[in-house]
Amino acid sequence: MATKLAKYNEDIDRLLKKGYALSIDSNHLVVRDIPYLDNKGELNIGAIVSILNSIDQYKVGMVDHQIYFCGSHPHELSGKPIRNLGGGPVQLKLTSDDLIVQRSFSNKPPSGKFENWFDKIESYVTIISGPSMNKFDIHPYTFRVVAENSNSVFKFRDTLSSRSEIGDLSAKLEEDTVAIIGLGGTGAYLLDFLVKTPVKEIRGFDLDWYHVHNAFRSPGKLEADELGKRKSEVYKQRYEGFRDNINIHSNYITSDSEKDLVGVTFAFVCVDSGTSRAEIFELLIKLKIPFIDIGMGLDRNMGAISGMLRTTSFSKESAQNLMEKRLAPLSDIPDDVYKNNIQISELNALNACLAIIKYKQLREFYVDDNSYYHTLFNIDGLNCFGENGKN
């Protein structure tokens, strides 16, 4: 990855040609083989780590003048800590086992900012490695080629996670293959949210066609040539430039769909038919796939629209018991207002938000103080009610 970046970034290329051991890890530029002196004057080898700011698919810049460092605080030949290295102890999770970030450093150049990566790395190496290079016959120009982890599903580097320092939390989602059963209003927003997570694979299932009304209750812009195509084709094309492993299928999930769900580790059920929901539940329970069912109930009895949004989480252990509680409708309701086309984009999006938050709580991305498996959001009062094993 570093060598690929060097083709489009002159400053990265200069670092490689000088002999720095560069790699990319979790959207950070890593410079290994950095010598420094510890508090006993002994030689240590550390690494400089700095956040990459992706300008496009190939060009990268810097976020700021600061760096992270894998190692203890460097010392002068006199045995005193090197001065003018602001920052302090910090933890940052990277994917490489040999990289353990221990602290951050901040040393602004006289101009107030570095003009390029070459100047930034050279400046910090002079400060950190100068004493050790003076004392020992050593330098950081090893020309070492570092093997890199390039498993990312994204077509662009995930600069959001690195800038927010939540890469370790995002990694909790990487092993999941997630199915979205139904790509209506709520399912379409769920797809949009999941595309931006590092889950291993996303599988969508919907046989319906994409018409104008779908554009009014789903994310993204409307392209005229999308109308009249299958939803599977529209959504596949819309997101394939963002990441890999998006597989949208033009079929419904029924009791005979076991092959479609092989390898799925989590599912979202976004259908408005009670009988279809019951059939899907039975299949997911049989396959021991945990899932979240999403629904909404809206009406216009008082002129304006009122109602509730529902999110119900079914674990492998509790799914059968929760199904028997009938927290989600398992039969079709005559004259159901929701089926008569009351769908509002912001409510579809909010319902998807509640579901994705619950999924991330289950994966310990978010804190979950209440462990609700059943949540109702009341539109009228903008309040939320939950049910857990303690209720």
Side-chain angles (χ1 to χ4, degrees):
M1 182 68 76
T3 54
K4 187 174 183 179
L5 287 182
K7 295 179 182 179
Y8 304 94
N9 298 270
E10 182 187 5
D11 47 358
I12 303 292
D13 187 50
R14 288 177 67 192
L15 289 170
L16 279 176
K17 286 179 176 176
K18 187 158 184 179
Y20 285 110
L22 302 186
S23 65
I24 309 300
D25 191 307
S26 305
N27 200 53
H28 292 77
L29 178 68
V30 178
V31 189
R32 287 176 170 81
D33 302 340
I34 303 298
Y36 70 97
L37 299 180
D38 63 15
N39 58 357
K40 297 179 181 177
E42 296 178 352
L43 179 65
N44 284 247
I45 302 296
I48 291 172
V49 178
S50 189
I51 301 174
L52 286 168
N53 181 33
S54 293
I55 299 168
D56 58 30
Q57 194 169 2
Y58 304 109
K59 295 287 288 183
V60 293
M62 296 169 291
V63 172
D64 53 36
H65 64 278
Q66 300 178 63
I67 65 166
Y68 299 105
F69 190 64
C70 300
S72 59
H73 193 101
H75 285 66
E76 302 277 8
L77 290 169
S78 64
K80 294 182 178 179
I82 293 178
R83 300 175 61 189
N84 300 322
L85 282 175
V90 68
Q91 290 184 337
L92 177 69
K93 179 68 174 177
L94 299 174
T95 60
S96 300
D97 293 336
D98 65 323
L99 296 175
I100 302 176
V101 172
Q102 298 179 32
R103 60 195 62 249
S104 64
F105 291 142
S106 176
N107 184 275
K108 237 180 220 185
S111 64
K113 69 174 185 178
F114 293 107
E115 294 300 323
N116 54 62
W117 278 108
F118 187 83
D119 291 348
K120 180 176 181 176
I121 299 305
E122 285 275 279
S123 177
Y124 275 105
V125 167
T126 298
I127 296 169
I128 294 170
S129 299
S132 63
M133 293 170 70
N134 195 319
K135 184 175 181 178
F136 297 96
D137 183 19
I138 193 168
H139 56 74
Y141 318 119
T142 61
F143 288 91
R144 182 157 70 100
V145 177
V146 181
E148 300 180 43
N149 179 5
S150 56
N151 300 349
S152 176
V153 295
F154 297 116
K155 301 291 179 70
F156 298 84
R157 284 171 292 279
D158 180 9
T159 56
L160 177 66
S161 294
S162 58
R163 289 170 73 98
S164 304
E165 298 181 17
I166 58 170
D168 58 323
L169 298 177
S170 294
K172 294 175 181 286
L173 314 177
E174 290 179 352
E175 297 304 314
D176 269 331
T177 293
V178 180
I180 306 174
I181 302 172
L183 292 171
T186 302
Y189 277 101
L190 263 172
L191 174 62
D192 190 74
F193 296 148
L194 279 169
V195 161
K196 285 120 184 177
T197 70
V199 295
K200 182 165 57 178
E201 181 189 355
I202 301 170
R203 293 186 205 171
F205 299 93
D206 200 306
L207 185 59
D208 291 341
W209 303 90
Y210 191 80
H211 295 146
V212 173
H213 70 277
N214 298 113
F216 279 88
R217 66 184 194 196
S218 61
K221 64 181 180 178
L222 171 62
E223 299 286 356
D225 62 358
E226 293 175 338
L227 298 174
K229 295 181 179 178
R230 295 280 188 187
K231 288 181 183 178
S232 56
E233 183 181 355
V234 171
Y235 290 131
K236 172 71 174 176
Q237 184 175 4
R238 185 172 295 181
Y239 293 110
E240 63 184 1
F242 197 98
R243 56 161 289 155
D244 295 322
N245 298 338
I246 302 177
N247 300 303
I248 315 295
H249 303 278
S250 294
N251 62 273
Y252 296 129
I253 294 297
T254 68
S255 58
D256 298 322
S257 302
E258 288 192 31
K259 290 183 179 179
D260 290 316
L261 300 180
V262 171
V264 169
T265 58
F266 199 90
F268 292 92
V269 181
C270 312
V271 300
D272 58 4
S273 166
T275 53
S276 295
R277 180 182 288 111
E279 193 170 351
I280 293 166
F281 279 16
E282 293 284 3
L283 177 61
L284 292 172
I285 291 171
K286 175 184 176 182
L287 298 177
K288 299 187 184 309
I289 298 173
F291 61 95
I292 290 175
D293 181 68
I294 304 105
M296 64 173 73
L298 307 175
D299 62 60
R300 288 195 56 185
N301 290 338
M302 296 183 292
I305 295 172
S306 64
M308 287 191 174
L309 311 181
R310 177 184 56 77
T311 304
T312 310
S313 175
F314 296 77
S315 68
K316 288 186 286 188
E317 297 76 19
S318 66
Q320 188 63 52
N321 289 336
L322 289 183
M323 184 176 177
E324 292 171 1
K325 281 189 171 187
R326 301 185 74 85
L327 297 173
L330 299 178
S331 58
D332 293 329
I333 304 171
D335 302 319
D336 185 0
V337 178
Y338 179 59
K339 289 184 68 175
N340 289 335
N341 297 326
I342 293 189
Q343 288 205 37
I344 313 295
S345 61
E346 61 267 25
L347 297 183
N348 287 132
L350 179 56
N351 216 6
C353 283
L354 295 172
I356 200 76
I357 288 170
K358 183 59 191 177
Y359 161 68
K360 288 186 173 182
Q361 284 181 327
L362 294 172
R363 293 296 182 261
E364 298 181 345
F365 183 99
Y366 290 125
V367 172
D368 187 2
D369 287 337
N370 296 305
S371 299
Y372 290 140
Y373 56 77
H374 183 61
T375 304
L376 296 174
F377 181 85
N378 186 296
I379 300 166
D380 311 18
L382 296 180
N383 43 29
C384 199
F385 309 91
E387 181 176 336
N388 56 27
K390 304 173 186 176
N391 293 349

